[in-house]
Amino acid sequence: MDLLKKWSKDYIEAGCDEVGRGCLCGPVVAAAVILDENFEQNLINDSKKLSFKTRMDLDSYIKDNVKSFAIAELPPSFIDEHNILNASIHAMHNALDKLAIRPEFILVDGNKFHPYNFIPHQCVIKGDSKFLSIAAASILAKNYRDKLMIELHEEHPEYGWNTNFGYATKKHQEALIKHGITKHHRLSFRLKYD
């Protein structure tokens, strides 16, 4: 099924999504995307449903063919201080701040969002599998975060971040037991290393 292009035909819409909420380490990353009216790409879908290669191939196509996009990240220290939900929403606000075009309406993946600059918004559960702008945002955010976790893997190869990207896999948890935490781990999360 093709993803919908717009919630309303009357407004400049930005689609927002975040990745990394459930990870034990690394930042939470959000992206915002404003589509061009002529944007066409039927491969785009919820980033979780796409292979790593397909997502990476779509990255430059999205960036080159949308009206505006922006990506923002917040570190583990911010997540620990404000909790992961608030950090996720704040990262989306930061991505919206960085857009070259001011949106008139915001589409948000999920069911929670804080009002942003008096711009109306709509939360959409599983929005990344329903709306093209949210799906494009999810791809950009996931690609950005995956690349970052692959770089951090060079620092700490024992945790397997190049394949688990910071999620609580068995290898990651075993490495926590053996090596303890790094500065990239979220201290407010339940880290199974005791």
Side-chain angles (χ1 to χ4, degrees), residues 9 12 15-16 25 66-67 85 93 100 104 114 118 131 138 155 164 168 186:
K9 64 182 189 301
I12 297 170
C16 289
C25 64
V66 297
K67 274 189 175 171
L85 174 62
H93 283 197
E104 299 167 337
H114 299 154
F118 304 101
F131 286 92
S138 85
E155 253 180 73
N164 63 43
R186 302 170 184 181

Short mmCIF file of all heavy atoms in Angstrom, two decimals, residues 9 12 15-16 25 66-67 85 93 100 104 114 118 131 138 155 164 168 186:
data_model
loop_
_atom_site.label_atom_id
_atom_site.label_comp_id
_atom_site.label_asym_id
_atom_site.label_seq_id
_atom_site.Cartn_x
_atom_site.Cartn_y
_atom_site.Cartn_z
N LYS A 9 -4.17 19.00 2.63
CA LYS A 9 -3.56 19.59 1.44
C LYS A 9 -3.32 21.09 1.58
O LYS A 9 -2.67 21.70 0.73
CB LYS A 9 -4.43 19.30 0.20
CG LYS A 9 -5.81 19.90 0.23
CD LYS A 9 -6.59 19.51 -1.02
CE LYS A 9 -7.89 20.23 -1.17
NZ LYS A 9 -8.86 20.05 -0.10
N ILE A 12 1.80 23.52 4.83
CA ILE A 12 3.16 22.99 4.69
C ILE A 12 3.39 22.05 5.88
O ILE A 12 3.39 22.49 7.03
CB ILE A 12 4.21 24.12 4.72
CG1 ILE A 12 4.01 25.07 3.54
CG2 ILE A 12 5.63 23.55 4.72
CD1 ILE A 12 4.84 26.35 3.63
N GLY A 15 6.96 16.04 8.66
CA GLY A 15 6.84 14.75 9.33
C GLY A 15 8.02 14.56 10.26
O GLY A 15 9.16 14.90 9.92
N CYS A 16 7.76 14.05 11.48
CA CYS A 16 8.81 13.86 12.49
C CYS A 16 8.84 12.43 13.00
O CYS A 16 7.79 11.82 13.20
CB CYS A 16 8.56 14.75 13.71
SG CYS A 16 8.83 16.47 13.42
N CYS A 25 22.39 2.54 25.12
CA CYS A 25 23.46 3.54 25.00
C CYS A 25 23.28 4.34 23.72
O CYS A 25 22.45 4.02 22.87
CB CYS A 25 24.83 2.86 25.01
SG CYS A 25 25.08 1.79 23.61
N VAL A 66 13.64 16.39 -1.16
CA VAL A 66 12.62 16.99 -0.29
C VAL A 66 12.85 18.50 -0.22
O VAL A 66 13.92 18.99 -0.58
CB VAL A 66 12.63 16.37 1.13
CG1 VAL A 66 12.29 14.88 1.06
CG2 VAL A 66 13.96 16.60 1.84
N LYS A 67 11.82 19.21 0.23
CA LYS A 67 11.97 20.68 0.35
C LYS A 67 12.94 21.04 1.46
O LYS A 67 13.72 21.97 1.35
CB LYS A 67 10.60 21.30 0.65
CG LYS A 67 9.78 21.60 -0.56
CD LYS A 67 8.55 22.41 -0.18
CE LYS A 67 7.77 22.82 -1.41
NZ LYS A 67 6.49 23.42 -1.07
N LEU A 85 11.27 9.75 27.06
CA LEU A 85 10.14 10.33 26.32
C LEU A 85 10.37 11.82 26.08
O LEU A 85 10.26 12.31 24.95
CB LEU A 85 8.82 10.11 27.07
CG LEU A 85 7.60 10.80 26.43
CD1 LEU A 85 7.33 10.27 25.03
CD2 LEU A 85 6.37 10.64 27.31
N HIS A 93 11.75 18.54 18.49
CA HIS A 93 11.67 20.00 18.48
C HIS A 93 12.96 20.60 17.90
O HIS A 93 12.92 21.54 17.11
CB HIS A 93 11.45 20.53 19.90
CG HIS A 93 10.04 20.37 20.39
ND1 HIS A 93 9.56 21.08 21.47
CD2 HIS A 93 9.02 19.59 19.97
CE1 HIS A 93 8.30 20.74 21.68
NE2 HIS A 93 7.95 19.83 20.79
N ALA A 100 14.88 24.55 7.19
CA ALA A 100 15.03 25.82 6.45
C ALA A 100 13.68 26.47 6.18
O ALA A 100 13.61 27.67 5.91
CB ALA A 100 15.77 25.55 5.14
N GLU A 104 3.72 24.56 8.77
CA GLU A 104 2.43 25.07 9.26
C GLU A 104 1.64 23.98 9.99
O GLU A 104 0.63 24.26 10.63
CB GLU A 104 1.61 25.61 8.09
CG GLU A 104 2.29 26.74 7.36
CD GLU A 104 1.64 27.06 6.03
OE1 GLU A 104 0.96 26.20 5.44
OE2 GLU A 104 1.82 28.20 5.56
N HIS A 114 4.84 17.33 22.63
CA HIS A 114 4.60 18.59 23.32
C HIS A 114 4.39 19.68 22.28
O HIS A 114 5.07 19.69 21.25
CB HIS A 114 5.78 18.97 24.21
CG HIS A 114 6.07 17.96 25.28
ND1 HIS A 114 7.33 17.80 25.82
CD2 HIS A 114 5.28 17.05 25.88
CE1 HIS A 114 7.29 16.84 26.73
NE2 HIS A 114 6.06 16.36 26.78
N PHE A 118 3.43 27.04 18.69
CA PHE A 118 2.04 27.34 18.31
C PHE A 118 1.65 26.77 16.95
O PHE A 118 0.70 27.23 16.33
CB PHE A 118 1.80 28.87 18.33
CG PHE A 118 2.13 29.50 19.64
CD1 PHE A 118 3.32 30.19 19.80
CD2 PHE A 118 1.28 29.37 20.74
CE1 PHE A 118 3.65 30.76 21.04
CE2 PHE A 118 1.61 29.93 21.97
CZ PHE A 118 2.79 30.64 22.11
N PHE A 131 2.47 7.54 6.63
CA PHE A 131 2.74 8.82 5.97
C PHE A 131 4.17 8.88 5.46
O PHE A 131 5.12 8.59 6.19
CB PHE A 131 2.46 9.99 6.93
CG PHE A 131 1.00 10.24 7.14
CD1 PHE A 131 0.33 9.63 8.20
CD2 PHE A 131 0.28 11.05 6.28
CE1 PHE A 131 -1.03 9.84 8.40
CE2 PHE A 131 -1.08 11.26 6.46
CZ PHE A 131 -1.73 10.65 7.51
N SER A 138 12.00 8.87 9.52
CA SER A 138 12.48 7.71 10.27
C SER A 138 13.73 7.11 9.61
O SER A 138 14.65 6.69 10.29
CB SER A 138 11.37 6.66 10.42
OG SER A 138 11.27 5.80 9.32
N GLU A 155 35.56 2.57 19.00
CA GLU A 155 36.06 2.91 20.35
C GLU A 155 35.91 1.74 21.32
O GLU A 155 36.75 1.50 22.16
CB GLU A 155 35.20 4.06 20.91
CG GLU A 155 35.85 5.41 20.99
CD GLU A 155 34.84 6.42 21.56
OE1 GLU A 155 34.56 6.37 22.77
OE2 GLU A 155 34.36 7.25 20.76
N ASN A 164 24.35 -4.38 16.90
CA ASN A 164 23.16 -4.21 17.76
C ASN A 164 22.76 -2.74 17.92
O ASN A 164 21.68 -2.45 18.43
CB ASN A 164 23.35 -4.87 19.13
CG ASN A 164 24.48 -4.26 19.96
OD1 ASN A 164 24.62 -3.05 20.03
ND2 ASN A 164 25.28 -5.11 20.59
N ALA A 168 19.60 -3.91 23.57
CA ALA A 168 19.95 -4.83 24.66
C ALA A 168 20.02 -6.28 24.18
O ALA A 168 19.30 -7.15 24.65
CB ALA A 168 18.93 -4.71 25.79
N ARG A 186 23.37 4.87 29.04
CA ARG A 186 22.34 5.66 29.75
C ARG A 186 22.21 5.11 31.16
O ARG A 186 21.75 3.98 31.35
CB ARG A 186 21.01 5.55 28.99
CG ARG A 186 21.12 6.02 27.55
CD ARG A 186 19.88 5.68 26.75
NE ARG A 186 20.04 6.05 25.35
CZ ARG A 186 19.10 5.87 24.43
NH1 ARG A 186 17.93 5.34 24.76
NH2 ARG A 186 19.33 6.22 23.17
#
